[in-house]
Amino acid sequence: MDGCRMNCELLATCSALGYLEGDVYHREPDCLESVKDLIRYLRHEDETRDVRQQLGAAQILQSDLLPILVQYPQDKVLFDAVVRLMVNLTQPALLCFGKVPADATSRHHFLQVLSYLQAYKEAFASEKVFGVLSEKLYDLLQLDWEQRQEEDTLLIERILLLVRNVLHVPPDPTEEQRVDGDATVHDRVLWALHISGMDDLLKFLASAQMEQQWALHVLEIISLMFRDQSPEDLAVLGQGQAGAEHGEDTRELQSLRQRELAEKRTRALQRPYRHSRFCGSYVLQGLKAIGDRDVVFHKGLHNLKSYSHDLGKEPRRVPRRRQAAPEAEVPHRSARNVRLFLHRFCRDFLEGCYNRLMLLVKEHLVREKAQQHDETYYLWACAFFMAFNRRRGFRPELVSETVGVRAFHFIEQNLTAYYEMALMDKKEAVTWARRMHLALRAYQELLRTVQEMDRSPEPAVRDSSQVIKSNIFYLMEYRELFLTLFRKFDETKQPRSFLRDLVETAHLFLRMLERFCRGRSSLVVQSKRVRRKKQPRAPAAPQPPSTEELQELWAGLAPQLQACLQGEVPLPEDVVPFDAASETPVEEQRAEALLRIQGCLRDARVPQALRLLRSARDVWPEGDVFGPPNAGPPEETRLLQDIFFALLPQHAPPEAEEPEEEEEAEEEEEETVQVSEKEFNFHDYLKRFACAPVVRALVLLLRGYPRNTARTNHCAARLLHRLARDLHMEPLLFQLSLFALFNRLLHDPAAGAHQELVALAKFILGKFFALAATNKKAFVELLFWKSPAAAREMSEGYGSLREGEGAGRSRAPPWTPQEEQLLRELYWKYKEVEGSDVAGAILAQLPAPGRTRRHLVKHLVRLGLIGSARELPRQRKGTRIVLWTQEQEEELTRLFEEFRGSDDVLGRILQHLTARRSRARVVDKLLALGLVATRAELYKKRRRKGQDPAPGAPAALGQDSSEDGDSEEEEEDEEEDEEPMEGPEEGAGPGLAQRLHQEGLAGPLRWLQSCLRRTAEDREEDGASHPAPLVPLSEENEDAMENRRFQGLLRRLGLRPPESEQETFWRIPAALTPRLLRRAAASITHRGPDPSGSPQGLPEPPQCPRDPDPAASPQPPDSESEEPDPSPPQPHTKRERDLDSEDEASGSSGPAVPPEDEELQPLGRRKRIRRVEEEEEED
């Protein structure tokens, strides 16, 4: 429906309502249908609320709806429809738009609707309107529950909502510029409500047993009635003569008069004798102008103090995000008759309704029967009526429902919830701060009520007060509340009034706690400590069975396997190795099939393993991964044996790939709160307030000391006095902002009204100038907010904390000139050592204990040896150590001589080395020093079954050191590229290969030969050539790739080393044809007998390579051979399949581990395979 037609229909509908002639309204026959049409139009209005705006502009409510309501109350159907329409029209603008719009257009519509609501409120300031509503509500409440229909209940609710909407309309500050005591629109509405008797009906609804469902509606209306009122002013109303009621106004006027007279007296004393037209010109020495000359002052000397360079300049615009939060509306003093009526209402409400109504509202809130944020009305009612009761003549029985430990707990829970939401919901932080202010006021009034109970003449009331105080002082949450609010105070989100109430409440709490502790020899309180226990990123992998255990298990499986192969045992038919609907790639499912076969064999489920092998052979026939298609029983036995003894990696734990948010949530679930009890010390608790945020908040509040009340200034000054005098921390207040405030205070003509602040200012300034006489840096310290440690250093000396008992335990002793000279020498000594940890090496050589790496780096920056701490970064576990110092070589020789008789020489050496190095580095250094002739001498020696281990020898091959070595080898690959490569000593490739065979590198040569042949076959099948990386998956192959002679062989064969930091492995260039690759593989074939003595030609699937480590090979226990079994290559179709098969053998089927979790991986193979995958993605 377009705008023009809508206007025409609205005009026709409004015309059909009727017309007003004088004071009589004549309705049309279609009046009821027209009202229903208007309700339907409002239901379908757009986001700009166009229908609502047009009806407001036409003044339908003032000219039609209210006259119909007043003159036709007997027509029940019409009355119900009109009330329903008025409830919709008077709906708050915030509910219509959701929030205050940010854009200009929507904000214009919002303000337009708000202006119409203000006009509606002025129209409702009529005794006739509220009289009709009161009579109708009275008649409905007279009906019993058996006679009351559903329409009657809805009409009661709509009348209450209509009153709520009218009272909710905010005042118009541009129209209502009235002085205190004058009646505003809100006052006139309240007076009409009082004359009609609506206030008595509200009290009846609050106290009636049968009207419990209207508790929240009544409380909301009451809170809107007292929106502009002060409980203290209402409480003292009517207790004396009219002149005595204005005592506070008289005192305020006298203060302003004294200020004015003091200013006049000061101006008279500063007035010069000469005429103002002959003021002269003066030169201000020491004060530079824009140029290099002194400032020339062209005014009288009496204006010299007000001179500033900022005169005439435009003030800097403060960004919106830094502007102070807007203050709440200043309470307006209503007309005296309105205040008297509200005073009587408060008195009657407290005596007959308060406890019952608050109980019902609390029950609705706890059972979540109320709407969202309805607890704010409960908090307001607690603060308002308890303050009224306290000032009027304290009667604790009138507010007993909201005085107790449960009330404290409820308010503290809401206050903490508002505080947390203000930190999380940044966009609505101002709204949450307003709700937090309501909770803080209720908390403050609870404390004041408990304080009044201490002064009660009745012993039972005093005993109740002691019980409440012992409970709230015992719990830690109540004691830590004010510290948290001070530290998180933000003036851009929280108004100055919130800070005022916070300071007054904290002062009251401290005074009550101090008096409570003063009368007791000791006070035991609750203490909570949060312990965070992080869950391990990856659970420890189960230890694989030993070779002896596997051989015994295989010997037991042999008869069962023969029976299955001969058909004596039926094989299951429900074993499926491949899932076509799974999201897991086919290659990963093939690796999982190998793991399932191995698991079935080791669990003695031979029929399932055999069926799984045959099914997998049918699914993946290419490459003979699971044997040839026509494999017989001997070949299947050999394949199952190879899979049974192979070292297949298990799947990585799923926790490794969970997002960071879930990891944090798990860690939070592991947080445990330890609750204990300790003896409370008020002096130690007061020290918690000695921090910069608290002092900054107090200074911010005292900046407005002329506008603050005397109590506010007293509370702020008392808190500062506690910090400075009671704690002897005067330097904590040595701050330039506070001194500027003291300067303004001491030069204020009306400073006589603030004697407490003046005394504090003189005390602090005297302490400062006394300290400045001995500490020349005191003036510089004025620029900074200080902590207790800095304040103590400022007064006792800047080295006092380092020498004091128990102070600054983490601080290192001061640096002496001799230590600084030694530090310079050590820095220049280790700076030239390439790849060394300079800070760690220096820290190990310093004689003085108690140094930390952080202190060392900071002092190096202070001495100017380095520019910043980034020049000496902390190296990760397994740092790259390239050069060996003489001391390290001597240590290595000593450790070799000490452990050369043990079963695991290399493992013991790696465990006891001071500087962490990889296994390959240590082996190379032992060979270079001539301590061993071949690598075979460093292999772990085997013991026969049942033989006792040697004293001090480890039970397994140094796994701890191997884990460190894996992380070190990852970083050492790049270093080898930078070092110059030595060429092979032999001229031809076959000769160099024979020499490598003699040195014990037969296994790596066979691995290299198989890689060359597989690459040749892949290039023949694909018809294309791509660079293929050489990925060493065993420790022996990794050591061989770092051997200089082996690298020389790779160069002679035409293989390319890593070219950049992004590449890690050697590669087979794309230029090598299959013929050249086969020729290169044939050139390194061993011509003599195999040194291991193992049979040649044993078929082995390349997807299940056995680790050449003798501890993992299926050899008899008494075998002394340290060489792996030969594994001739099997044909493959694609290079990618070859890499996938190697991934399966190395454990890459598990989820990838993030780079930051590399130290948690127990094997180094997964890291290398991951880098291959990253290089393949980059290619």
Side-chain angles (χ1 to χ4, degrees):
M1 186 180 298
D2 56 356
C4 295
R5 186 176 180 182
M6 185 67 181
N7 290 332
C8 295
E9 291 186 0
L10 278 177
L11 181 60
T13 305
C14 294
S15 301
L17 290 174
Y19 60 94
L20 184 64
E21 185 177 1
D23 295 335
V24 180
Y25 188 87
H26 302 277
R27 61 176 180 176
E28 298 289 344
D30 298 333
C31 180
L32 179 60
E33 287 74 13
S34 300
V35 172
K36 294 181 179 179
D37 290 340
L38 292 178
I39 296 174
R40 186 170 60 254
Y41 292 151
L42 287 172
R43 188 184 302 126
H44 299 287
E45 62 181 352
D46 58 6
E47 59 183 8
T48 62
R49 305 293 183 256
D50 54 342
V51 177
R52 194 177 304 270
Q53 293 188 44
Q54 295 179 39
L55 293 179
Q59 299 183 358
I60 296 299
L61 187 140
Q62 297 93 319
S63 59
D64 293 279
L65 298 182
L66 287 180
I68 293 176
L69 183 74
V70 172
Q71 297 188 18
Y72 300 98
Q74 66 279 1
D75 193 339
K76 183 177 180 181
V77 179
L78 180 60
F79 185 90
D80 189 10
V82 171
V83 171
R84 182 181 174 188
L85 178 58
M86 287 194 298
V87 169
N88 198 337
L89 283 177
T90 57
Q91 186 177 359
L94 284 175
L95 293 180
C96 296
F97 290 86
K99 62 178 182 179
V100 179
D103 58 301
T105 304
S106 301
R107 190 176 182 85
H108 170 73
H109 295 303
F110 175 83
L111 295 177
Q112 195 68 30
V113 171
L114 186 60
S115 64
Y116 294 140
L117 289 175
Q118 293 168 352
Y120 295 160
K121 184 174 184 179
E122 188 174 1
F124 266 93
S126 171
E127 299 177 7
K128 295 181 179 180
V129 174
F130 275 98
V132 173
L133 293 176
S134 299
E135 291 178 3
K136 180 61 68 174
L137 182 60
Y138 177 79
D139 295 339
L140 294 174
L141 294 177
Q142 291 295 322
L143 299 176
D144 295 335
W145 280 100
E146 296 81 4
Q147 302 176 357
R148 190 178 299 179
Q149 303 295 326
E150 183 178 0
E151 293 81 5
D152 300 331
T153 304
L154 289 176
L155 184 55
I156 294 175
E157 184 177 7
R158 286 168 183 164
I159 292 176
L160 295 177
L161 289 177
L162 179 61
V163 176
R164 189 276 312 266
N165 292 346
V166 173
L167 294 174
H168 188 274
V169 177
D172 188 1
T174 59
E175 297 293 335
E176 299 186 10
Q177 297 180 355
R178 303 176 184 271
V179 297
D180 287 344
D182 195 4
T184 61
V185 175
H186 190 76
D187 293 340
R188 290 191 280 125
V189 172
L190 290 178
W191 187 251
L193 184 145
H194 169 62
I195 295 300
S196 63
M198 181 69 72
D199 55 338
D200 296 330
L201 294 178
L202 293 176
K203 288 183 286 186
F204 171 76
L205 290 174
S207 59
Q209 177 71 23
M210 306 301 294
E211 309 294 341
Q212 299 181 5
Q213 57 179 332
W214 315 117
L216 282 170
H217 292 280
V218 172
L219 185 61
E220 186 176 1
I221 293 174
I222 293 175
S223 66
L224 294 174
M225 289 172 57
F226 293 91
R227 180 175 57 189
D228 298 335
Q229 307 300 323
S230 171
E232 290 80 3
D233 296 341
L234 287 179
V236 299
L237 188 66
Q239 294 183 1
Q241 299 179 357
E245 297 177 4
H246 300 283
E248 184 177 354
D249 294 342
T250 304
R251 288 191 297 269
E252 184 177 357
L253 288 176
Q254 290 178 355
S255 175
L256 293 176
R257 179 60 177 169
Q258 291 177 3
R259 181 186 297 272
E260 183 180 3
L261 293 177
E263 291 178 354
K264 288 182 178 181
R265 193 180 306 109
T266 303
R267 287 196 300 268
L269 294 176
Q270 294 178 353
R271 186 175 303 162
Y273 295 102
R274 300 179 60 183
H275 195 273
S276 60
R277 289 176 295 179
F278 304 101
C279 55
S281 299
Y282 305 91
V283 177
L284 305 181
Q285 294 183 358
L287 186 62
K288 299 297 181 182
I290 298 178
D292 295 335
R293 299 181 178 180
D294 294 334
V295 174
V296 179
F297 190 67
H298 298 283
K299 295 184 179 180
L301 292 177
H302 62 282
N303 295 322
L304 181 60
K305 292 184 179 181
S306 62
Y307 175 77
S308 173
H309 288 299
D310 297 331
L311 293 176
K313 296 181 181 179
E314 294 183 1
R316 180 178 298 180
R317 179 179 176 273
V318 181
R320 181 175 299 178
R321 66 178 182 275
R322 295 184 181 179
Q323 293 179 0
E327 291 289 342
E329 297 180 0
V330 180
H332 171 74
R333 182 176 297 175
S334 302
R336 180 174 175 79
N337 57 345
V338 175
R339 286 187 288 131
L340 287 174
F341 140 65
L342 294 176
H343 173 83
R344 288 191 295 270
F345 182 90
C346 288
R347 184 189 58 195
D348 298 340
F349 182 79
L350 278 173
E351 293 177 354
C353 310
Y354 178 80
N355 287 330
R356 176 173 181 78
L357 181 65
M358 298 301 283
L359 177 63
L360 294 176
V361 173
K362 179 75 171 296
E363 183 179 357
H364 289 332
L365 295 175
V366 172
R367 297 186 178 182
E368 297 182 354
K369 294 182 179 180
Q371 296 182 359
Q372 193 175 12
H373 308 312
D374 276 351
E375 70 277 359
T376 55
Y377 300 111
Y378 179 87
L379 298 175
W380 173 89
C382 287
F384 188 90
F385 289 104
M386 291 176 70
F388 183 87
N389 178 64
R390 178 175 52 84
R391 293 296 301 270
R392 182 176 173 270
F394 181 69
R395 294 174 60 186
E397 67 275 5
L398 298 182
V399 292
S400 58
E401 179 59 36
T402 54
V403 177
V405 179
R406 293 184 178 181
F408 273 100
H409 176 72
F410 180 79
I411 296 175
E412 189 270 336
Q413 290 292 321
N414 284 277
L415 183 57
T416 305
Y418 296 153
Y419 160 75
E420 293 175 353
M421 289 302 300
L423 295 181
M424 292 187 295
D425 192 0
K426 300 295 184 181
K427 294 183 179 180
E428 299 295 333
V430 177
T431 304
W432 290 110
R434 192 178 300 116
R435 299 186 181 115
M436 186 164 41
H437 193 187
L438 283 175
L440 180 62
R441 286 180 176 176
Y443 194 89
Q444 177 186 9
E445 200 53 49
L446 271 178
L447 290 176
R448 290 184 175 179
T449 302
V450 173
Q451 186 184 29
E452 288 292 333
M453 292 173 64
D454 285 339
R455 305 169 183 172
S456 175
E458 300 179 8
V461 177
R462 293 196 302 269
D463 295 341
S464 300
S465 171
Q466 294 297 323
V467 172
I468 294 174
K469 288 192 295 184
S470 62
N471 280 275
I472 63 175
F473 293 153
Y474 174 78
L475 295 178
M476 181 179 177
E477 290 80 5
Y478 300 109
R479 301 193 307 270
E480 298 294 326
L481 179 62
F482 300 103
L483 289 169
T484 304
L485 295 179
F486 268 121
R487 290 171 180 171
K488 295 299 181 180
F489 176 76
D490 186 1
E491 60 178 333
T492 62
K493 305 295 187 301
Q494 297 162 321
R496 194 72 60 88
S497 56
F498 175 86
L499 180 59
R500 180 190 66 241
D501 290 330
L502 176 60
V503 171
E504 293 181 3
T505 310
H507 167 72
L508 178 61
F509 185 83
L510 287 175
R511 188 172 62 178
M512 293 175 61
L513 181 57
E514 183 181 16
R515 293 179 179 177
F516 189 78
C517 297
R518 189 180 302 168
R520 288 167 175 79
S521 58
S522 62
L523 176 63
V524 178
V525 297
Q526 186 187 75
S527 176
K528 293 183 179 180
R529 186 175 182 180
V530 180
R531 291 187 178 271
R532 294 178 176 86
K533 182 180 179 182
K534 296 185 179 180
Q535 292 184 349
R537 297 291 181 97
Q543 293 294 335
S546 61
T547 306
E548 292 80 2
E549 295 176 354
L550 290 177
Q551 288 179 355
E552 293 179 0
L553 183 59
W554 178 256
L557 295 178
Q560 187 179 2
L561 179 59
Q562 294 299 328
C564 293
L565 292 173
Q566 294 175 6
E568 299 178 1
V569 177
L571 302 181
E573 300 293 339
D574 57 347
V575 179
V576 180
F578 175 72
D579 185 6
S582 176
E583 298 181 357
T584 307
V586 180
E587 292 78 6
E588 294 186 9
Q589 293 194 34
R590 183 174 58 185
E592 293 177 359
L594 286 172
L595 292 172
R596 292 175 60 188
I597 294 174
Q598 188 184 68
C600 291
L601 289 174
R602 294 186 177 182
D603 294 340
R605 294 180 295 161
V606 179
Q608 289 83 351
L610 184 59
R611 171 59 66 186
L612 193 57
L613 175 67
R614 293 177 178 178
S615 302
R617 184 189 307 152
D618 297 337
V619 176
W620 294 287
E622 63 275 2
D624 297 341
V625 177
F626 298 94
N630 54 354
E635 295 178 351
E636 290 182 340
T637 302
R638 186 166 54 253
L639 284 172
L640 290 175
Q641 182 180 6
D642 294 337
I643 296 175
F644 180 81
F645 285 99
L647 288 178
L648 298 180
Q650 301 298 325
H651 292 288
E655 288 82 3
E657 61 179 344
E658 291 182 358
E660 296 181 359
E661 291 78 7
E662 295 182 4
E663 292 180 1
E664 294 178 358
E666 291 179 0
E667 292 179 2
E668 291 179 359
E669 292 177 356
E670 291 296 323
E671 291 183 355
T672 57
V673 179
Q674 295 184 352
V675 181
S676 60
E677 290 185 344
K678 65 177 183 180
E679 187 173 351
F680 181 76
N681 189 337
F682 179 78
H683 190 75
D684 294 339
Y685 175 71
L686 189 60
K687 289 181 180 179
R688 304 284 304 279
F689 288 85
C691 57
V694 176
V695 178
R696 189 183 299 114
L698 294 174
V699 173
L700 179 63
L701 180 62
L702 286 178
R703 287 178 183 174
Y705 73 91
R707 300 182 301 273
N708 295 339
T709 62
R711 175 173 176 77
T712 302
N713 290 333
H714 166 73
C715 294
R718 183 68 181 117
L719 282 176
L720 291 176
H721 184 270
R722 287 181 182 272
L723 301 180
R725 190 65 178 270
D726 297 351
L727 299 180
H728 303 286
M729 291 187 181
E730 296 87 357
L732 198 67
L733 306 184
F734 295 167
Q735 218 283 331
L736 195 60
S737 300
L738 184 58
F739 279 22
L741 173 63
F742 288 161
N743 180 58
R744 183 161 62 95
L745 174 65
L746 295 176
H747 289 84
D748 191 353
H754 311 286
Q755 291 297 330
E756 190 175 9
L757 291 178
V758 172
L760 177 65
K762 292 181 179 180
F763 172 75
I764 297 299
L765 291 175
K767 290 291 183 179
F768 171 76
F769 288 112
L771 180 62
T774 57
N775 187 358
K776 302 303 180 183
K777 299 178 182 179
F779 293 96
V780 181
E781 293 280 3
L782 288 175
L783 301 176
F784 308 99
W785 298 99
K786 285 164 282 297
S787 62
R792 180 176 176 182
E793 281 187 330
M794 188 176 176
S795 58
E796 300 181 7
Y798 290 97
S800 59
L801 289 183
R802 300 171 185 174
E803 302 171 359
E805 297 180 359
R809 296 179 180 177
S810 61
R811 298 196 178 191
W815 293 84
T816 62
Q818 295 79 9
E819 291 177 346
E820 291 184 350
Q821 181 63 26
L822 178 61
L823 180 61
R824 292 188 179 92
E825 295 176 358
L826 292 175
Y827 173 75
W828 292 112
K829 175 182 177 181
Y830 290 105
K831 180 183 178 183
E832 305 300 331
V833 180
E834 182 181 358
S836 64
D837 184 9
V838 180
I842 296 175
L843 198 60
Q845 299 295 330
L846 287 177
R851 306 282 186 195
T852 62
R853 184 186 182 95
R854 181 181 179 184
H855 297 148
L856 174 65
V857 175
K858 289 178 64 176
H859 202 68
L860 287 174
V861 175
R862 190 173 301 172
L863 293 177
L865 297 177
I866 58 176
S868 64
R870 297 180 180 179
E871 298 182 14
L872 298 178
R874 186 184 299 272
Q875 296 187 356
R876 297 183 305 169
K877 183 180 179 182
T879 55
R880 298 185 289 181
I881 304 176
V882 180
L883 300 181
W884 290 74
T885 62
Q886 183 178 0
E887 294 81 6
Q888 293 171 350
E889 291 179 356
E890 293 175 358
E891 181 188 17
L892 180 62
T893 304
R894 179 180 57 80
L895 292 175
F896 177 78
E897 295 296 334
E898 181 181 357
F899 301 111
R900 66 183 308 171
S902 62
D903 294 341
D904 186 15
V905 181
L906 186 58
R908 300 299 301 275
I909 291 176
L910 290 173
Q911 289 180 0
H912 292 80
L913 270 180
T914 304
R916 292 186 177 274
R917 297 181 185 271
S918 65
R919 299 173 64 89
R921 293 294 185 191
V922 176
V923 171
D924 291 342
K925 196 61 181 178
L926 291 173
L927 291 172
L929 294 176
L931 299 177
V932 294
T934 61
R935 297 174 181 267
E937 297 180 18
L938 298 174
Y939 291 159
K940 180 182 178 182
K941 297 181 178 60
R942 295 166 175 257
R943 298 186 303 274
R944 295 181 181 272
K945 187 174 182 180
Q947 182 180 358
D948 295 334
L957 178 64
Q959 296 179 358
D960 296 338
S961 58
S962 65
E963 292 178 4
D964 299 337
D966 291 335
S967 61
E968 293 172 4
E969 290 168 8
E970 180 183 357
E971 299 179 354
E972 290 169 359
D973 294 335
E974 301 176 359
E975 296 178 2
E976 292 292 331
D977 303 338
E978 301 174 359
E979 299 176 359
M981 297 292 181
E982 298 180 2
E985 297 180 2
E986 300 294 339
L992 183 57
Q994 295 300 325
R995 179 155 184 164
L996 292 174
H997 270 280
Q998 297 175 3
E999 293 182 359
L1001 297 179
L1005 288 174
R1006 287 194 298 272
W1007 164 72
L1008 175 62
Q1009 187 181 18
S1010 64
C1011 292
L1012 294 174
R1013 290 176 178 173
R1014 286 198 299 267
T1015 305
E1017 294 173 359
D1018 290 345
R1019 292 182 178 181
E1020 284 182 348
E1021 293 182 6
D1022 296 344
S1025 298
H1026 302 281
L1030 289 177
V1031 185
L1033 299 180
S1034 65
E1035 185 176 352
E1036 185 180 14
N1037 293 343
E1038 292 178 3
D1039 296 340
M1041 293 298 294
E1042 297 177 356
N1043 188 285
R1044 301 296 178 86
R1045 300 184 187 278
F1046 196 85
Q1047 292 176 354
L1049 176 62
L1050 296 179
R1051 292 182 183 276
R1052 293 304 179 99
L1053 296 179
L1055 274 63
R1056 177 174 60 83
E1059 293 182 350
S1060 62
E1061 296 181 354
Q1062 296 181 354
E1063 295 183 356
T1064 307
F1065 304 103
W1066 286 67
R1067 296 178 180 270
I1068 304 175
L1072 294 181
T1073 62
R1075 182 175 59 85
L1076 294 177
L1077 291 175
R1078 288 193 177 92
R1079 182 183 301 175
S1083 65
I1084 60 177
T1085 303
H1086 182 46
R1087 308 303 179 185
D1090 192 277
S1092 63
S1094 59
Q1096 299 287 343
L1098 179 64
E1100 181 181 3
Q1103 285 73 15
C1104 304
R1106 287 176 291 178
D1107 199 323
D1109 192 344
S1113 60
Q1115 296 178 353
D1118 56 350
S1119 175
E1120 298 295 334
S1121 174
E1122 299 295 340
E1123 295 296 332
D1125 294 337
S1127 55
Q1130 298 294 332
H1132 282 265
T1133 59
K1134 294 183 180 293
R1135 183 173 62 86
E1136 288 80 1
R1137 187 178 300 114
D1138 175 36
L1139 289 177
D1140 292 335
S1141 64
E1142 292 177 351
D1143 293 345
E1144 295 163 9
S1146 61
S1148 62
S1149 61
V1153 183
E1156 57 268 22
D1157 294 345
E1158 288 179 357
E1159 296 181 3
L1160 300 178
Q1161 283 293 329
L1163 298 177
R1165 299 179 180 178
R1166 298 182 182 178
K1167 305 173 186 176
R1168 296 185 178 278
I1169 291 174
R1170 183 174 63 256
R1171 289 187 288 188
V1172 173
E1173 295 173 354
E1174 294 173 356
E1175 293 171 6
E1176 289 298 320
E1177 293 176 359
E1178 293 175 359
D1179 293 341

